[in-house]
Amino acid sequence: MTDDTQEQQITAAGNEMSASFLAAKKRSDATLAKLEENPGKFTMLTGDRPTGKLHVGHYVGSLRRRVELQNSGEFDKIYIMIADAQALTDNAEHPEKVRQNIMNVALDYLACGIDPEKSTIFIQSMVPELTELTFYYMNLVTVSRLQRNPTVKSEIQMRNFEASIPVGFFTYPISQASDITAFKATTVPVGEDQLPMLEQTKEIVHKFNAVYGETLVDPEILLPSNKACLRLPGIDGKAKMSKSLGNCIYLSESEADVKKKVMSMFTDPDHIRIEDPGKLEGNTVFTYLDAFSNEGHFAEYLPEYANLDELKDHYKRGGLGDVKVKKFLNNVLQEELSPIRARRAEYEKNIEGVYEILKKGSEVAAETAAQTLSEVKAAMKINYFDDPAFLEEQIQKFNE
């Protein structure tokens, strides 16, 4: 498969999301309104796969919003998961890769402002109840439904799995459903690419409750408010920033490395001379400016323009070079990432403390998930030794 063909297939899969996206955006807006009207009555669950350090796509797509929501006072409980078990679904032969990145992800969380006093940070595999819930939910989902999941399709194509799909990877939408429902999450802040995953979770919740009675909480998505943050492209202009594609800017990268990547970013290939009119569509530099810049940045670093709209207008007219725009973007990113790098460096001096945060968080998460699992098994009537009625029924049955 050529790169062009693969990109077309991924794009096609992504287009399948568009029909449901507008409806999801309306629900997301409604969820935000509920949060503001009834603060302190909601539970949030979100997380990341530990396959590498987190990048700016994670940051604008979800992580920055998590910190804002954490500090908003709108949530009673917040669970943030390091999804190592999910990461193993396509890294089964490289467990050391996952193991070594547990701490990297935890450090990125803390550096970005996740507060263990307000949020429970835990490791997925340390909560075995999640695996058991996944097993039960599998009976509620068909193979054909998983095959229609646009996110699964695009991920399979991107990894060139084709017919050799690991079963664990193929079924990870079901695993995500167990993660979300185990903690009775009402709200799941994610990027656009995860929309089909939440839709599948909602289907599982509805099916379970219809079959076994009202047991599981029906979650709602919370999308980024900034459209550019829905799915930040890679620096090469690819549709998705991905560790596997090597087109990321990592939160912990040095100032020099960030600048090097920014100056190499994809722009308008037809914008050859400064005087040439430039296109904004597909221009990665302007997409990043949409996600990161504000008027204060212009006053500080590019005072000849009042805001991003003026910069865009000049670029479209011609007479504005890519290098100048990239230098401005570099300044914006450095301002955002500098305090994150500094906080990470401080936490790196106390790895034992970070370890204890993860251990304590995993214990709290396991206790919560165990309660949900107990309720699920009771609803399914497979709680034989916890339900005295089972023994009474059997005695009566065999004494008749």
Side-chain angles (χ1 to χ4, degrees):
M1 181 186 296
T2 66
D3 290 343
D4 287 344
T5 301
Q6 181 174 326
E7 184 70 22
Q8 289 168 1
Q9 291 180 340
I10 291 173
T11 301
N15 287 340
E16 295 182 33
M17 301 183 204
S18 58
S20 61
F21 173 72
L22 291 178
K25 185 64 172 68
K26 289 181 180 179
R27 291 205 310 270
S28 176
D29 292 342
T31 298
L32 187 59
K34 290 178 184 177
L35 292 174
E36 295 170 349
E37 292 170 4
N38 303 285
K41 297 183 179 180
F42 299 88
T43 299
M44 180 171 77
L45 182 283
T46 185
D48 299 279
R49 290 157 44 100
T51 54
K53 296 178 180 180
L54 300 184
H55 52 65
V56 294
H58 295 117
Y59 183 68
V60 299
S62 178
L63 190 49
R64 181 168 61 183
R65 189 72 177 279
R66 293 177 208 173
V67 176
E68 293 171 354
L69 293 171
Q70 169 195 266
N71 297 331
S72 70
E74 294 169 348
F75 290 90
D76 177 43
K77 297 178 182 178
I78 298 173
Y79 297 92
I80 301 181
M81 180 178 71
I82 300 178
D84 63 324
Q86 189 184 120
L88 287 169
T89 62
D90 59 334
N91 288 279
E93 297 177 3
H94 307 285
E96 192 65 21
K97 172 185 176 182
V98 176
R99 177 186 177 88
Q100 294 305 322
N101 280 301
I102 294 289
M103 195 60 70
N104 271 324
V105 172
L107 287 167
D108 283 335
Y109 282 165
L110 295 168
C112 287
I114 296 299
D115 183 351
E117 295 297 321
K118 299 177 180 178
S119 300
T120 300
I121 307 173
F122 70 97
I123 302 173
Q124 184 183 27
S125 65
M126 296 295 98
V127 186
E129 291 82 2
L130 300 177
T131 305
E132 188 171 349
L133 284 171
T134 299
F135 185 76
Y136 299 141
Y137 294 169
M138 283 182 178
N139 299 318
L140 305 176
V141 183
T142 65
V143 171
S144 62
R145 176 61 184 90
L146 288 172
Q147 288 174 329
R148 293 198 307 272
N149 187 306
T151 300
V152 172
K153 287 198 288 188
S154 65
E155 293 283 350
I156 287 172
Q157 291 160 359
M158 187 172 69
R159 288 167 172 77
N160 293 317
F161 279 153
E162 301 305 331
S164 302
I165 310 166
V167 173
F169 185 86
F170 184 61
T171 59
Y172 85 82
I174 306 174
S175 173
Q176 283 196 349
S178 75
D179 299 333
I180 293 168
T181 58
F183 302 100
K184 303 182 187 299
T186 59
T187 313
V188 185
V190 294
E192 179 188 11
D193 60 327
Q194 289 299 305
L195 173 58
M197 311 302 278
L198 190 72
E199 294 295 339
Q200 190 127 42
T201 294
K202 291 174 72 66
E203 289 176 15
I204 290 171
V205 168
H206 298 162
K207 181 68 177 290
F208 187 97
N209 289 346
V211 174
Y212 302 112
E214 291 295 323
T215 307
L216 303 178
V217 174
D218 190 11
E220 287 295 346
I221 196 169
L222 193 59
L223 294 166
S225 55
N226 184 335
K227 185 178 180 181
C229 298
L230 291 173
R231 184 185 293 192
L232 202 65
I235 60 173
D236 56 359
K238 298 290 185 181
K240 182 178 180 180
M241 180 175 289
S242 169
K243 301 167 192 172
S244 59
L245 295 176
N247 60 1
C248 306
I249 294 176
Y250 293 98
L251 297 174
S252 56
E253 283 193 292
S254 69
E255 182 177 346
D257 286 341
V258 170
K259 181 177 181 180
K260 182 179 179 181
K261 289 186 175 182
V262 170
M263 299 310 292
S264 70
M265 286 176 73
F266 181 83
T267 56
D268 173 9
D270 298 323
H271 188 242
I272 299 171
R273 298 171 299 178
I274 291 177
E275 59 267 26
D276 292 337
K279 294 194 294 289
L280 301 180
E281 184 178 356
N283 191 319
T284 306
V285 173
F286 279 97
T287 302
Y288 277 56
L289 287 174
D290 279 327
F292 284 98
S293 69
N294 57 51
E295 291 186 3
H297 291 134
F298 283 91
E300 179 71 20
Y301 305 116
L302 207 60
E304 59 263 46
Y305 301 94
N307 51 46
L308 185 55
D309 287 338
E310 287 191 7
L311 187 71
K312 288 179 176 179
D313 288 341
H314 191 178
Y315 189 80
K316 289 188 292 185
R317 291 196 309 269
L320 177 60
D322 288 321
V323 171
K324 184 173 183 176
V325 181
K326 288 180 178 181
K327 286 181 177 179
F328 173 61
L329 173 59
N330 177 63
N331 286 331
V332 170
L333 286 178
Q334 299 293 359
E335 181 178 311
E336 189 86 18
L337 298 179
S338 179
I340 294 174
R341 283 193 294 259
R343 285 192 295 266
R344 195 182 204 275
E346 288 302 309
Y347 278 110
E348 287 176 353
K349 297 175 183 177
N350 184 23
I351 293 301
E352 294 89 346
V354 178
Y355 174 88
E356 287 301 322
I357 289 171
L358 295 176
K359 186 170 184 285
K360 180 181 177 182
S362 297
E363 291 169 354
V364 171
E367 184 178 341
T368 303
Q371 176 60 37
T372 300
L373 177 60
S374 176
E375 294 168 5
V376 164
K377 294 176 77 170
M380 297 176 69
K381 300 189 181 302
I382 56 174
N383 59 336
Y384 310 111
F385 302 132
D386 294 325
D387 182 7
F390 172 70
L391 178 58
E392 295 173 5
E393 291 168 359
Q394 299 307 307
I395 291 173
Q396 182 177 356
K397 173 182 176 182
F398 287 99
N399 283 342
E400 289 178 352

